[in-house]
Amino acid sequence: MSADDNVRPLVSGDADFEERTFESALRPKTLAEFGGQRRVSEQLELVLHAARGRNGVPDHVLLSGPPGLGKTTLAMIIASELSSPLRITSGPAIQHAGDLAAILSGLNEGEVLFLDEIHRMSRPAEELLYMAMEDFRVDVIVGKGPGATAIPLEIPPFTLVGATTRAGLLPGPLRDRFGFTGHLEFYEASELERIINRSAELLQVDMTPEGGAEIASRSRGTPRIANRLLRRVRDFAQVRADGIITLALAKSALDLYEVDRMGLDRLDRGVLDALCRRFGGGPVGLSTLAVAVGEERETVEEVAEPFLVRSGYLARTPRGRVATPAAWRHLGLNVPKNATFADTLFDAEDDA
């Protein structure tokens, strides 16, 4: 279990095995059912339709974006739309070229291979993948040292679907071998409402439109978080009410779980509170800020900061983290008149 699992069980885009298993019952099966990501869905539909028309396999697909936006779901939909089997693995599971060769040699023609966290695959495996993607063959090395022999092994045409949360870590030669690249964006509240309503039907949960809208507004633009909050609000409605999710009940439940109206949780508010109350809005170094909230530096940087920056509450500058006027207002504090934001609020890498 990672630090993220302990710190943010509700509003983290990551999911453990148990949650992924539960999600499988809620996943849409076709592109028509897939809510959101309209541009990527339309582009994928063209790629898949054209491949079926040629009786061939589609180009390899790379899906990038933050966790919880639907990369795994889209991989499953691609296999379903092609009526092909889906084989699933991940970058961390492939530490040696032989691991990848064993997977590729077992593929059938037209099969879809989903490689999650592709940026975490080992370099030897990456180099083997280049040839497999381009020429549909791999060279299996037999023996060691001067007597080693490369035996070419033909593999049937297949479609690789790679998923990554950090596309910038992929080497250029690997990115160039994907015929289609789709970047998944955060969802609008209206799109999340449709997803929540669909999930409520599948879970047989009674919910008013206002209740669904309230959950959507606190879901940080992420379907995985929306479905997670729906389940927690369902539990609240079942135990403390009549089982129907109304606007008032959704507010009470989410307040209990410390997810505020903007989707900020305890850690998010703790970071902003320390930044504003203890450091006068900054700038302050990341390590100092992490100590102030009692968390690891990596937890603050990878769990809290992305959403705070995206929401306009925090800025990263060469001199440190800076609270924006929106952060002060969100905490119910007056923006200091002597604070100067103009010379610090710009996007830059911070190694403070």
Side-chain angles (χ1 to χ4, degrees):
M1 181 175 291
S2 67
D4 292 11
D5 298 321
N6 289 322
V7 173
R8 179 166 295 164
L10 282 181
V11 292
S12 170
D14 297 317
D16 57 19
F17 176 78
E18 181 180 354
E19 183 169 22
R20 289 182 184 276
T21 302
F22 183 88
E23 284 179 349
S24 62
L26 303 179
R27 296 187 191 276
K29 302 298 189 294
T30 65
L31 284 173
E33 296 177 358
F34 188 74
Q37 310 298 337
R38 183 177 60 84
R39 182 63 59 85
V40 173
S41 295
E42 289 180 359
Q43 294 171 345
L44 264 179
E45 184 179 17
L46 289 173
V47 171
L48 300 179
H49 185 78
R52 288 195 299 266
R54 296 190 302 266
N55 292 321
V57 297
D59 289 336
H60 302 299
V61 175
L62 177 64
L63 301 173
S64 65
L69 299 187
K71 297 184 291 295
T72 301
T73 298
L74 279 176
M76 293 180 174
I77 288 175
I78 289 172
S80 177
E81 296 275 1
L82 295 173
S83 300
S84 300
L86 175 68
R87 189 167 304 196
I88 301 176
T89 187
S90 66
I94 301 176
Q95 295 301 314
H96 306 284
D99 299 334
L100 181 61
I103 294 173
L104 294 173
S105 62
L107 294 175
N108 298 313
E109 184 171 356
E111 195 165 351
V112 177
L113 173 62
F114 177 52
L115 184 51
D116 198 9
E117 297 184 275
I118 190 173
H119 61 277
R120 296 178 60 187
M121 187 169 49
S122 68
R123 183 55 58 88
E126 276 181 10
E127 295 174 353
L128 183 71
L129 189 59
Y130 295 160
M131 186 180 300
M133 294 173 67
E134 207 163 49
D135 302 325
F136 296 113
R137 74 180 182 91
V138 294
D139 289 338
V140 179
I141 306 299
V142 179
K144 296 182 179 180
T149 304
I151 301 177
L153 176 65
E154 299 293 329
I155 57 178
F158 71 99
T159 297
L160 173 67
V161 179
T164 178
T165 57
R166 307 183 70 178
L169 296 183
L170 290 179
L174 180 57
R175 287 198 305 268
D176 294 343
R177 282 169 169 79
F178 286 96
F180 174 81
T181 300
H183 180 74
L184 276 60
E185 304 285 351
F186 288 100
Y187 290 59
E188 299 293 335
S190 59
E191 296 172 330
L192 288 178
E193 284 185 51
R194 291 194 292 271
I195 292 172
I196 290 172
N197 288 332
R198 176 180 178 275
S199 297
E201 291 181 6
L202 293 174
L203 296 173
Q204 297 182 335
V205 175
D206 291 329
M207 181 176 65
T208 66
E210 295 78 12
E214 183 65 21
I215 297 173
S217 69
R218 304 194 190 198
S219 297
R220 304 165 76 108
T222 306
R224 175 173 291 153
I225 295 174
N227 284 326
R228 188 183 297 153
L229 294 182
L230 171 63
R231 285 154 47 205
R232 298 288 72 80
V233 175
R234 173 198 61 180
D235 295 344
F236 185 94
Q238 176 184 335
V239 174
R240 297 195 177 180
D242 57 3
I244 300 176
I245 298 177
T246 62
L247 173 60
L249 184 138
K251 287 182 177 180
S252 298
L254 294 173
D255 288 344
L256 174 67
Y257 288 115
E258 298 184 285
V259 180
D260 70 20
R261 58 185 177 81
M262 299 303 296
L264 275 65
D265 72 347
R266 178 195 60 80
L267 176 60
D268 298 319
R269 291 190 298 274
V271 168
L272 295 184
D273 189 79
L275 191 56
C276 294
R277 295 181 189 272
R278 300 176 65 175
F279 300 108
V284 61
L286 175 61
S287 297
T288 303
L289 187 59
V291 171
V293 296
E295 299 289 352
E296 296 292 332
R297 173 190 172 112
E298 292 76 14
T299 299
V300 174
E301 185 175 28
E302 298 175 10
V303 179
E305 274 196 353
F307 182 69
L308 293 177
V309 172
R310 180 168 63 88
S311 301
Y313 294 118
L314 181 146
R316 300 194 299 182
T317 79
R319 291 190 290 162
R321 273 52 177 176
V322 177
T324 68
W328 292 84
R329 289 192 290 266
H330 186 78
L331 296 176
L333 303 174
N334 295 324
V335 180
K337 295 181 180 180
N338 60 346
T340 56
F341 302 97
D343 62 339
T344 54
L345 297 186
F346 55 90
D347 188 19
E349 290 299 320
D350 172 31
D351 55 3

